[in-house]
Amino acid sequence: MMNLPHQTNDSQMIQDDQTEAISQMKIGFIGAGNMAFGIAQGILTSGKVSPTNIIVSAPSMNNLPRFQERGVAITQVNEEVVERSAVVFLAIKPHLIQGVLYGISRCVTQQHIIVSMAAGVTIATLEELLPAKTRVIRMMPNLPCVLMEGALILTSGSCAGEKEETLLKNLLSPCGLVEAGPEHWIDAHTGLSGSGVAFVYVFAEALAEGAVKMGMPGALAQRIAAQTILVGSHAHLQYVPEYLN
Ligand SMILES: NC(=O)C1=CN([C@@H]2O[C@H](COP(=O)(O)OP(=O)(O)OC[C@H]3O[C@@H](n4cnc5c(N)ncnc54)[C@H](O)[C@@H]3O)[C@@H](O)[C@H]2O)C=CC1
Ligand SMILES: O=C(O)[C@@H]1CCC=N1
Protein backbone atom coordinates (compact mmCIF):
# COMPACT_ATOMS: atom_id res chain seq x y z
CA MET A 1 0.00 0.00 0.00
CA MET A 2 1.42 3.40 -0.91
CA ASN A 3 2.67 5.32 2.15
CA LEU A 4 1.15 8.77 1.91
CA PRO A 5 3.01 11.78 3.38
CA HIS A 6 1.14 11.55 6.63
CA GLN A 7 1.11 7.77 6.79
CA THR A 8 3.81 5.45 8.17
CA ASN A 9 4.38 1.72 8.00
CA ASP A 10 2.93 1.67 11.52
CA SER A 11 -0.37 2.81 10.00
CA GLN A 12 -0.39 -0.23 7.78
CA MET A 13 0.22 -2.49 10.79
CA ILE A 14 -2.50 -0.67 12.75
CA GLN A 15 -4.85 -1.03 9.78
CA ASP A 16 -4.22 -4.76 9.55
CA ASP A 17 -4.93 -5.21 13.28
CA GLN A 18 -8.06 -3.06 13.09
CA THR A 19 -9.96 -5.11 10.52
CA GLU A 20 -11.06 -7.60 13.17
CA ALA A 21 -11.88 -4.81 15.61
CA ILE A 22 -13.99 -3.05 12.99
CA SER A 23 -16.12 -6.13 12.40
CA GLN A 24 -17.10 -6.00 16.08
CA MET A 25 -17.38 -2.23 16.30
CA LYS A 26 -20.67 -0.51 17.25
CA ILE A 27 -21.35 2.36 14.86
CA GLY A 28 -23.97 5.07 15.17
CA PHE A 29 -25.36 7.77 12.93
CA ILE A 30 -27.15 10.81 14.30
CA GLY A 31 -29.17 11.84 11.26
CA ALA A 32 -30.63 9.39 8.76
CA GLY A 33 -30.52 11.42 5.54
CA ASN A 34 -28.70 11.23 2.25
CA MET A 35 -25.17 11.25 3.61
CA ALA A 36 -25.77 8.90 6.52
CA PHE A 37 -27.41 6.47 4.11
CA GLY A 38 -24.59 6.82 1.61
CA ILE A 39 -21.92 5.98 4.16
CA ALA A 40 -23.91 3.26 5.90
CA GLN A 41 -24.71 1.67 2.53
CA GLY A 42 -21.03 1.68 1.56
CA ILE A 43 -19.99 0.10 4.86
CA LEU A 44 -22.80 -2.48 4.79
CA THR A 45 -22.26 -3.46 1.14
CA SER A 46 -18.63 -4.21 1.89
CA GLY A 47 -19.67 -6.64 4.62
CA LYS A 48 -17.06 -5.10 6.96
CA VAL A 49 -19.73 -4.37 9.54
CA SER A 50 -22.90 -6.28 10.38
CA PRO A 51 -26.10 -4.20 10.22
CA THR A 52 -26.81 -5.36 13.75
CA ASN A 53 -23.79 -3.29 14.84
CA ILE A 54 -25.22 -0.07 13.43
CA ILE A 55 -27.86 2.21 14.91
CA VAL A 56 -29.33 5.37 13.34
CA SER A 57 -31.41 8.17 14.80
CA ALA A 58 -33.67 10.85 13.40
CA PRO A 59 -36.50 12.88 14.98
CA SER A 60 -39.11 11.44 12.62
CA MET A 61 -39.71 8.10 10.97
CA ASN A 62 -39.43 9.65 7.45
CA ASN A 63 -35.91 8.39 6.66
CA LEU A 64 -35.57 5.51 9.11
CA PRO A 65 -37.38 2.66 7.28
CA ARG A 66 -34.68 2.31 4.59
CA PHE A 67 -32.15 1.64 7.36
CA GLN A 68 -34.49 -0.71 9.21
CA GLU A 69 -35.03 -2.68 5.96
CA ARG A 70 -31.26 -3.35 5.97
CA GLY A 71 -31.31 -4.72 9.50
CA VAL A 72 -29.97 -1.51 11.08
CA ALA A 73 -31.36 -0.52 14.48
CA ILE A 74 -33.34 2.73 14.47
CA THR A 75 -34.31 5.18 17.17
CA GLN A 76 -35.67 8.69 17.55
CA VAL A 77 -33.43 9.31 20.55
CA ASN A 78 -29.91 10.61 19.78
CA GLU A 79 -28.58 9.73 23.22
CA GLU A 80 -29.37 6.09 22.54
CA VAL A 81 -27.08 6.19 19.49
CA VAL A 82 -24.22 7.51 21.62
CA GLU A 83 -24.84 5.02 24.44
CA ARG A 84 -24.86 2.07 21.99
CA SER A 85 -21.96 3.10 19.74
CA ALA A 86 -18.17 3.45 19.82
CA VAL A 87 -18.00 5.55 16.64
CA VAL A 88 -20.73 8.17 16.21
CA PHE A 89 -21.19 9.93 12.87
CA LEU A 90 -22.84 13.35 13.09
CA ALA A 91 -24.92 13.37 9.90
CA ILE A 92 -27.17 16.34 10.57
CA LYS A 93 -27.16 19.72 8.87
CA PRO A 94 -24.51 22.16 10.11
CA HIS A 95 -27.00 24.53 11.75
CA LEU A 96 -28.23 21.70 13.96
CA ILE A 97 -24.81 20.65 15.29
CA GLN A 98 -24.86 22.91 18.36
CA GLY A 99 -28.27 21.76 19.54
CA VAL A 100 -27.58 18.09 18.87
CA LEU A 101 -24.20 18.15 20.66
CA TYR A 102 -25.81 19.97 23.58
CA GLY A 103 -28.29 17.11 23.81
CA ILE A 104 -25.78 14.24 23.65
CA SER A 105 -22.73 15.64 25.45
CA ARG A 106 -23.55 14.06 28.80
CA CYS A 107 -23.36 10.62 27.11
CA VAL A 108 -20.04 11.23 25.29
CA THR A 109 -16.94 9.61 26.85
CA GLN A 110 -13.23 9.48 25.99
CA GLN A 111 -13.85 6.01 24.52
CA HIS A 112 -16.08 7.44 21.80
CA ILE A 113 -14.88 8.69 18.43
CA ILE A 114 -17.18 11.48 17.29
CA VAL A 115 -17.03 11.96 13.50
CA SER A 116 -18.59 15.13 12.09
CA MET A 117 -19.36 15.49 8.39
CA ALA A 118 -21.06 18.88 8.83
CA ALA A 119 -19.86 21.28 6.17
CA GLY A 120 -18.07 24.32 7.58
CA VAL A 121 -18.16 23.21 11.23
CA THR A 122 -14.55 23.29 12.43
CA ILE A 123 -12.72 21.00 14.81
CA ALA A 124 -12.43 23.95 17.21
CA THR A 125 -16.21 24.40 17.27
CA LEU A 126 -16.82 20.70 17.70
CA GLU A 127 -14.35 20.43 20.58
CA GLU A 128 -15.91 23.49 22.21
CA LEU A 129 -19.34 21.82 22.15
CA LEU A 130 -18.13 18.39 23.34
CA PRO A 131 -16.66 17.30 26.67
CA ALA A 132 -12.91 17.88 27.17
CA LYS A 133 -10.63 15.19 25.69
CA THR A 134 -13.30 13.89 23.33
CA ARG A 135 -11.72 12.15 20.33
CA VAL A 136 -13.05 14.18 17.38
CA ILE A 137 -12.64 13.49 13.67
CA ARG A 138 -13.90 15.95 11.06
CA MET A 139 -14.53 14.63 7.58
CA MET A 140 -15.96 15.67 4.26
CA PRO A 141 -17.55 12.84 2.24
CA ASN A 142 -19.70 13.05 -0.87
CA LEU A 143 -22.83 11.30 -2.07
CA PRO A 144 -21.10 8.82 -4.44
CA CYS A 145 -20.26 6.95 -1.22
CA VAL A 146 -23.60 5.27 -1.76
CA LEU A 147 -22.11 3.71 -4.92
CA MET A 148 -18.85 2.97 -3.09
CA GLU A 149 -17.21 5.51 -5.43
CA GLY A 150 -16.95 8.40 -2.98
CA ALA A 151 -14.08 10.72 -2.13
CA LEU A 152 -13.59 11.49 1.54
CA ILE A 153 -11.06 13.64 3.39
CA LEU A 154 -10.73 13.41 7.15
CA THR A 155 -8.71 15.22 9.80
CA SER A 156 -8.28 14.61 13.51
CA GLY A 157 -8.91 16.88 16.46
CA SER A 158 -6.51 17.57 19.33
CA CYS A 159 -7.34 14.32 21.14
CA ALA A 160 -7.36 12.03 18.11
CA GLY A 161 -4.54 11.05 15.78
CA GLU A 162 -3.04 8.47 13.47
CA LYS A 163 -4.73 5.54 15.25
CA GLU A 164 -8.22 7.04 14.88
CA GLU A 165 -7.51 8.27 11.35
CA THR A 166 -6.32 4.81 10.30
CA LEU A 167 -9.37 3.22 11.92
CA LEU A 168 -11.74 5.56 10.06
CA LYS A 169 -9.85 5.07 6.79
CA ASN A 170 -10.17 1.31 7.24
CA LEU A 171 -13.87 1.55 8.15
CA LEU A 172 -14.69 3.98 5.31
CA SER A 173 -12.47 2.42 2.62
CA PRO A 174 -15.48 0.61 1.06
CA CYS A 175 -17.07 4.03 0.43
CA GLY A 176 -14.32 5.08 -1.98
CA LEU A 177 -11.08 7.09 -1.82
CA VAL A 178 -10.33 8.09 1.78
CA GLU A 179 -7.39 10.26 2.76
CA ALA A 180 -6.35 12.00 5.95
CA GLY A 181 -4.71 15.37 6.08
CA PRO A 182 -4.70 18.83 7.64
CA GLU A 183 -8.02 20.55 8.37
CA HIS A 184 -7.61 23.13 5.59
CA TRP A 185 -7.90 20.27 3.07
CA ILE A 186 -11.50 19.76 4.28
CA ASP A 187 -12.75 23.14 3.04
CA ALA A 188 -10.94 22.66 -0.28
CA HIS A 189 -12.48 19.21 -0.60
CA THR A 190 -15.96 20.54 0.16
CA GLY A 191 -15.82 22.59 -3.01
CA LEU A 192 -13.77 20.10 -5.03
CA SER A 193 -15.79 16.99 -4.31
CA GLY A 194 -18.44 17.45 -1.64
CA SER A 195 -20.17 19.88 -3.95
CA GLY A 196 -18.02 19.22 -7.01
CA VAL A 197 -19.83 16.04 -7.90
CA ALA A 198 -22.93 18.13 -8.72
CA PHE A 199 -20.99 20.18 -11.28
CA VAL A 200 -20.14 16.97 -13.14
CA TYR A 201 -23.87 16.42 -13.70
CA VAL A 202 -24.22 19.97 -15.07
CA PHE A 203 -21.24 19.39 -17.38
CA ALA A 204 -22.68 16.09 -18.61
CA GLU A 205 -26.04 17.72 -19.36
CA ALA A 206 -24.30 20.54 -21.25
CA LEU A 207 -22.32 18.05 -23.35
CA ALA A 208 -25.51 16.14 -24.16
CA GLU A 209 -27.48 19.30 -24.98
CA GLY A 210 -24.87 20.18 -27.61
CA ALA A 211 -25.38 16.82 -29.30
CA VAL A 212 -29.17 17.16 -29.06
CA LYS A 213 -28.99 20.54 -30.81
CA MET A 214 -27.17 18.73 -33.61
CA GLY A 215 -29.97 16.19 -33.90
CA MET A 216 -28.93 13.32 -31.62
CA PRO A 217 -31.72 11.77 -29.49
CA GLY A 218 -31.54 13.05 -25.90
CA ALA A 219 -31.29 9.69 -24.13
CA LEU A 220 -28.45 8.56 -26.40
CA ALA A 221 -26.66 11.89 -25.98
CA GLN A 222 -26.93 11.59 -22.19
CA ARG A 223 -25.51 8.05 -22.21
CA ILE A 224 -22.62 9.02 -24.48
CA ALA A 225 -21.88 12.10 -22.35
CA ALA A 226 -21.78 9.91 -19.22
CA GLN A 227 -19.58 7.32 -20.94
CA THR A 228 -17.24 10.08 -22.16
CA ILE A 229 -16.84 11.50 -18.66
CA LEU A 230 -16.40 8.01 -17.21
CA VAL A 231 -13.61 7.13 -19.65
CA GLY A 232 -12.01 10.51 -19.23
CA SER A 233 -12.00 10.05 -15.47
CA HIS A 234 -10.50 6.55 -15.69
CA ALA A 235 -7.75 7.86 -17.96
CA HIS A 236 -7.12 10.82 -15.65
CA LEU A 237 -6.91 8.61 -12.55
CA GLN A 238 -4.31 6.47 -14.31
CA TYR A 239 -2.08 9.39 -15.10
CA VAL A 240 -2.78 11.77 -12.21
CA PRO A 241 0.57 12.54 -10.55
CA GLU A 242 1.55 10.62 -7.44
CA TYR A 243 0.65 12.34 -4.17
CA LEU A 244 2.99 15.26 -3.66
CA ASN A 245 4.64 15.88 -0.33
N1 LIG B 1 -25.55 15.61 0.92
C1 LIG B 1 -24.30 15.71 0.57
O1 LIG B 1 -23.93 15.59 -0.60
C2 LIG B 1 -23.27 15.96 1.62
C3 LIG B 1 -23.63 16.27 2.92
N2 LIG B 1 -22.66 16.53 3.84
C4 LIG B 1 -23.01 16.88 5.21
O2 LIG B 1 -23.72 15.80 5.78
C5 LIG B 1 -24.65 16.28 6.73
C6 LIG B 1 -25.99 15.69 6.42
O3 LIG B 1 -26.35 16.14 5.17
P1 LIG B 1 -27.51 15.38 4.36
O4 LIG B 1 -27.43 13.92 4.65
O5 LIG B 1 -27.42 15.81 2.95
O6 LIG B 1 -28.82 16.00 5.05
P2 LIG B 1 -30.30 15.39 5.06
O7 LIG B 1 -31.20 16.57 5.21
O8 LIG B 1 -30.46 14.44 3.92
O9 LIG B 1 -30.33 14.51 6.39
C7 LIG B 1 -30.28 15.11 7.64
C8 LIG B 1 -30.88 14.13 8.63
O10 LIG B 1 -30.81 14.69 9.93
C9 LIG B 1 -32.04 14.42 10.59
N3 LIG B 1 -32.20 15.34 11.72
C10 LIG B 1 -32.70 16.58 11.70
N4 LIG B 1 -32.68 17.09 12.95
C11 LIG B 1 -32.14 16.14 13.76
C12 LIG B 1 -31.85 16.03 15.14
N5 LIG B 1 -32.10 17.05 15.97
N6 LIG B 1 -31.30 14.89 15.61
C13 LIG B 1 -31.05 13.86 14.77
N7 LIG B 1 -31.30 13.88 13.45
C14 LIG B 1 -31.84 15.02 12.96
C15 LIG B 1 -33.07 14.54 9.51
O11 LIG B 1 -34.27 13.89 9.90
C16 LIG B 1 -32.35 13.79 8.39
O12 LIG B 1 -32.57 12.40 8.55
C17 LIG B 1 -24.63 17.81 6.63
O13 LIG B 1 -23.90 18.34 7.70
C18 LIG B 1 -23.90 18.07 5.33
O14 LIG B 1 -23.13 19.27 5.40
C19 LIG B 1 -21.32 16.44 3.54
C20 LIG B 1 -20.94 16.14 2.26
C21 LIG B 1 -21.86 15.88 1.22
O1 LIG C 1 -25.09 19.46 1.63
C1 LIG C 1 -24.01 19.80 2.14
O2 LIG C 1 -23.88 20.46 3.17
C2 LIG C 1 -22.77 19.27 1.47
C3 LIG C 1 -21.51 20.03 1.64
C4 LIG C 1 -20.79 19.71 0.35
C5 LIG C 1 -21.85 19.19 -0.53
N1 LIG C 1 -22.94 19.04 0.09
Side-chain angles (χ1 to χ4, degrees):
M1 176 176 183
M2 176 172 51
N3 279 338
L4 300 170
H6 56 278
Q7 191 179 46
T8 65
N9 286 321
D10 291 348
S11 288
Q12 183 56 56
M13 287 190 289
I14 294 172
Q15 187 157 322
D16 292 344
D17 293 345
Q18 288 175 340
T19 301
E20 173 57 27
I22 282 174
S23 68
Q24 308 300 321
M25 191 164 287
K26 303 292 187 187
I27 296 163
F29 291 85
I30 295 180
N34 294 321
M35 208 57 251
F37 185 71
I39 291 171
Q41 178 80 340
I43 294 174
L44 288 170
T45 306
S46 73
K48 278 198 170 203
V49 177
S50 161
T52 54
N53 283 351
I54 301 179
I55 181 169
V56 182
S57 68
S60 76
M61 283 302 294
N62 291 352
N63 294 327
L64 292 173
R66 62 180 169 171
F67 288 92
Q68 196 170 34
E69 285 158 14
R70 285 166 173 75
V72 170
I74 61 170
T75 175
Q76 292 178 260
V77 179
N78 294 338
E79 293 89 334
E80 187 179 350
V81 170
V82 181
E83 285 163 355
R84 290 177 52 177
S85 306
V87 177
V88 178
F89 288 95
L90 303 177
I92 62 259
K93 289 295 193 191
H95 69 280
L96 297 172
I97 283 285
Q98 183 169 3
V100 167
L101 291 188
Y102 180 75
I104 65 168
S105 270
R106 63 180 182 78
C107 309
V108 174
T109 69
Q110 294 175 24
Q111 281 64 52
H112 284 102
I113 300 177
I114 305 294
V115 186
S116 172
M117 60 186 84
V121 180
T122 63
I123 290 273
T125 300
L126 294 163
E127 291 185 340
E128 200 177 292
L129 295 169
L130 286 161
K133 297 186 180 176
T134 300
R135 293 187 291 168
V136 176
I137 295 282
R138 181 186 173 195
M139 78 169 186
M140 181 46 59
N142 65 0
L143 273 184
C145 290
V146 74
L147 300 172
M148 302 172 79
E149 291 290 353
L152 305 87
I153 293 283
L154 55 88
T155 190
S156 47
S158 57
C159 298
E162 187 170 352
K163 177 172 173 284
E164 290 78 15
E165 288 181 357
T166 304
L167 177 77
L168 265 291
K169 285 174 67 180
N170 195 337
L171 174 65
L172 295 169
S173 59
C175 296
L177 184 153
V178 191
E179 297 303 349
E183 187 167 17
H184 69 268
W185 286 9
I186 296 272
D187 293 330
H189 185 69
T190 301
L192 170 61
S193 187
S195 303
V197 68
F199 301 129
V200 174
Y201 304 140
V202 174
F203 174 52
E205 282 175 4
L207 281 178
E209 278 167 22
V212 170
K213 283 182 178 156
M214 296 177 73
M216 184 179 281
L220 177 60
Q222 291 283 0
R223 284 188 66 79
I224 292 172
Q227 181 64 27
T228 305
I229 290 170
L230 179 67
V231 168
S233 299
H234 279 309
H236 187 62
L237 280 171
Q238 274 186 354
Y239 301 107
V240 72
E242 289 299 302
Y243 289 91
L244 306 176
N245 283 319

